[in-house]
Each structure stands twice: as structure tokens, then as C-alpha cells.
Amino acid sequence: MSVLDRLPSDHATQAFLAGAICLALGVLFAVTPLRAQLPNALYVFIEVGTLFVIYGLLVLGLDLQYGHTGLVNFGHVVFFAVGAYTTAMLSAQETFAGIGLGYPWPLALVAGVIVTAIVGAGVGVTSIRLRGDFLAIVTLATAEIFHSLFVNFEDIFGGNVGILGVPQPIAEVATNGDTRMVATLLVLGGITLVTLAGITRLTEAPYGRVLRAIRADELVTRSVGKSTLTYKMQSFVYGAALAGLAGGLFALYNGAVAPGFFTIQVTVTIWIGMLLGGAANHRAVLAGLAIIMGLRLASRFALDATPVGADVFASLRLIVVGLILVAVIRYRPAGIWGNEQELGVDS
């Protein structure tokens, strides 16, 4: 029997092992004299890759809510922001504006996830009974309300400046800038892969089948004795908590948070990535997100080769992404790797 034959065949175990390896390598780069040396041309790829693995947690949470349970959440960015701001406010030291309490960052990160879950439960209690478009409108409005709070309550949230002085754990122990970038990508990538493994286990279990039954026909699911409201609430809160974790990690990676990081553009990017890859397929939504972020990366290089200005080019980029999404919805309504029969869409 070869080594390949001994490897686990199920996706959850594979993701967990890959995540554990990435975490181990990331910690090794961060806390040992081991150094990384990167060519300058790779810096932008590492930065976009790091943002991708953070957004990966967001798209996994949204896929749990929409792809598996059918909950249309257009305010997913609000949970990303709540997790980031909670982590930043609890851990920041000597911030220029807003509140910085200086607690240890692990405590702040855990608190960020818990607070986000509580906010998710609050939003869910007031709106989870709404259907389709109405839930989408309420969650979108919630995101705008929180964005206004972050901007206008300057003494608490720092206004447009945000919260500065957030600790960066990996940067504080890494030996140089290149090592810091590699270690950060590996650690955050490992966390995303381990999360992927956990979400895969959850949705492949009977619990996940109940969620998909709710998405397909809630009345039928309720008629067989399942408390659909409870399952929907749990799915909504789990997705919010994952977004809060992503926000906390973003704050600790970036060293600062501000309202400009948490705009509707984040929600749009996550939604497009999920629909492009194929909802209800965890690996597919990550692949769809990778395509969208890859296009954004390619456009950075294309800008230098085009005669138009940055503002015009940004509009052209949005048009191209929109046309791609329209084409996918027209010819592959379940997404590139989605299951049309499972999602109940016509090809």
C-alpha cells in the first residue's frame, strides 16, 4: 500500500490535516529563528492571499446561512465589523481615538466571537421569521445602522479614524517582515482550513440534512416535528460567530480597524464569490471567492497597462465582475461547481 493510499479520503479530515500542518508551519516561522526571504514581486500575492483566507471564514459562514439554510443575509459585514471592533477595543493600547482597554489579545479575540454571536442572536430573534426579500432588507439595514454608529460615535469607536494600536501577535515575534507575512498567511490559512473541516462535519451530519430540508421546504420540515425556527436561529448565529472570528483575526492582522474596512463592498464580494462557486458546497464557495479576488489582483496589474484613470478602471472592473456573475447565473444558475438538483434550480 502506497503512502497516498493511506491518506484519509473524506474532505473534512483532509482539510483538518492541511490546516494543522499550516498552523504548525506558521508557528514554526513565527517563534523560531527560521526566516523567510521573499522576492518583492510576491508581496502583493501574499497580502491578497492573507485577505482571502480571512474572507474565507466569512464566505463559509454565509454559505451555512444561505447555502444550507436558505437565509438571505445581506448584512454579513456587520458581524465582521462587530468582531473586529470588539477585539480592537478590548486589546488596543494607546489608541489615537476611541476606546482601547489593553486586555490580552486572546481574551479580546474570544470576546469578539462571543459578542458577535450575541449580536447575531439579537438580529435573528427580531428578523429570522421574515422570509426572503424581507430578511435581506432587514439585515442590509442593520449593516447600515452599525456602520453609522461606528462613524458617528467617535469617543467610543474612533469615528472615521477608527481604533489604532491593536496588537499584532505574529508581527511582534517574527524575526523580519518577510517571515511575518509568511507566518501570518500560514496561521490564518490553517485556521480557515480547520474551520472548513468543522463546518463540513456539521453539514454532512444529520444536522446539516435538516438545514437543507428547511431550505428546500420549511413547511414539510416542520410537519415532521423539526423546530425549524430553532435550526434557523442556530445557523444564523453560527454564521455570525464565524464572521466575528474573521473580524477579530483581521483586527489582529491589520493592527487597526476603521469603518472603511467594513463597507457593503465586503458583503458584495462574499456574495458574488459564493454564487459564482456554488452555494451549499464549501470548497466551491472558497473557489468562487478565490476567482473574484484573483480578478481583483489581476486588475491591479492591468491598471498600469491601460490608458484610463484609476476611477474609470475601478468602474470597468465592477462591470466585468457583474458580467461574469450574470453569465454564470444565466448558464450555471447553481454556480460553477454547484449541484443544480440539490439547490432546486433549472439549468
Side-chain angles (χ1 to χ4, degrees):
M1 181 179 294
S2 66
V3 175
L4 293 177
D5 293 331
R6 296 192 183 97
L7 293 176
S9 58
D10 63 295
H11 298 150
T13 303
Q14 291 174 352
F16 179 81
L17 290 177
I21 292 172
C22 286
L23 281 170
L25 289 175
V27 171
L28 190 65
F29 272 105
V31 302
T32 68
L34 190 65
R35 297 164 63 93
Q37 191 69 38
L38 299 173
N40 294 339
L42 285 183
Y43 287 167
V44 64
F45 293 95
I46 297 293
E47 291 176 359
V48 173
T50 302
L51 189 60
F52 163 72
V53 295
I54 292 175
Y55 279 15
L57 292 171
L58 285 175
V59 79
L60 288 174
L62 184 61
D63 188 46
L64 182 63
Q65 294 173 343
Y66 174 76
H68 288 271
T69 320
L71 301 174
V72 184
N73 176 12
F74 280 172
H76 203 49
V77 69
V78 69
F79 306 118
F80 185 45
V82 169
Y85 267 92
T86 302
T87 302
M89 292 168 65
L90 288 176
S91 63
Q93 299 178 356
E94 299 180 358
T95 179
F96 178 77
I99 295 176
L101 300 179
Y103 288 110
W105 67 263
L107 176 63
L109 180 61
V110 172
V113 175
I114 294 173
V115 170
T116 307
I118 293 172
V119 172
V123 175
V125 165
T126 57
S127 60
I128 205 71
R129 291 181 174 84
L130 300 176
R131 296 177 180 272
D133 298 341
F134 298 103
L135 178 60
I137 292 171
V138 169
T139 53
L140 180 60
T142 301
E144 291 304 312
I145 291 171
F146 272 83
H147 188 269
S148 297
L149 293 176
F150 294 142
V151 171
N152 293 311
F153 284 77
E154 296 183 8
D155 292 339
I156 301 176
F157 303 113
N160 287 315
V161 175
I163 308 294
L164 309 178
V166 181
Q168 297 175 279
I170 296 178
E172 292 171 0
V173 297
T175 55
N176 59 32
D178 289 0
T179 304
R180 172 187 59 80
M181 295 177 68
V182 171
T184 300
L185 178 60
L186 287 171
V187 169
L188 295 181
I191 293 173
T192 300
L193 286 170
V194 170
T195 302
L196 171 63
I199 292 294
T200 301
R201 287 290 189 202
L202 181 68
T203 54
E204 288 180 350
Y207 182 89
R209 291 194 287 272
V210 174
L211 296 183
R212 291 188 290 275
I214 293 173
R215 180 199 63 205
D217 196 320
E218 184 175 348
L219 291 177
V220 172
T221 308
R222 191 184 303 151
S223 70
V224 297
K226 299 296 183 181
S227 176
T228 57
L229 181 61
T230 300
Y231 279 94
K232 290 164 67 175
M233 272 293 299
Q234 291 174 349
S235 175
F236 195 81
V237 172
Y238 292 158
L242 282 179
L245 174 62
L249 294 174
F250 176 80
L252 296 173
Y253 157 67
N254 196 51
V257 297
F261 294 122
F262 311 105
T263 64
I264 189 64
Q265 183 64 36
V266 176
T267 296
V268 171
T269 300
I270 299 305
W271 266 95
I272 292 177
M274 181 182 66
L275 296 177
L276 184 63
N281 183 331
H282 302 307
R283 294 183 299 163
V285 300
L286 289 173
L289 179 64
I291 292 174
I292 292 300
M293 299 196 71
L295 288 174
R296 291 174 58 180
L297 176 61
S299 68
R300 292 190 184 185
F301 300 103
L303 176 61
D304 297 331
T306 55
V308 299
D311 293 339
V312 175
F313 188 84
S315 299
L316 292 175
R317 180 174 61 185
L318 291 176
I319 292 173
V320 171
V321 172
L323 290 174
I324 293 173
L325 182 61
V326 169
V328 170
I329 292 177
R330 172 64 181 84
Y331 298 104
R332 291 287 299 175
I336 298 175
W337 296 282
N339 188 323
E340 296 177 353
Q341 182 176 3
E342 181 181 346
L343 292 175
V345 298
D346 297 325
S347 59

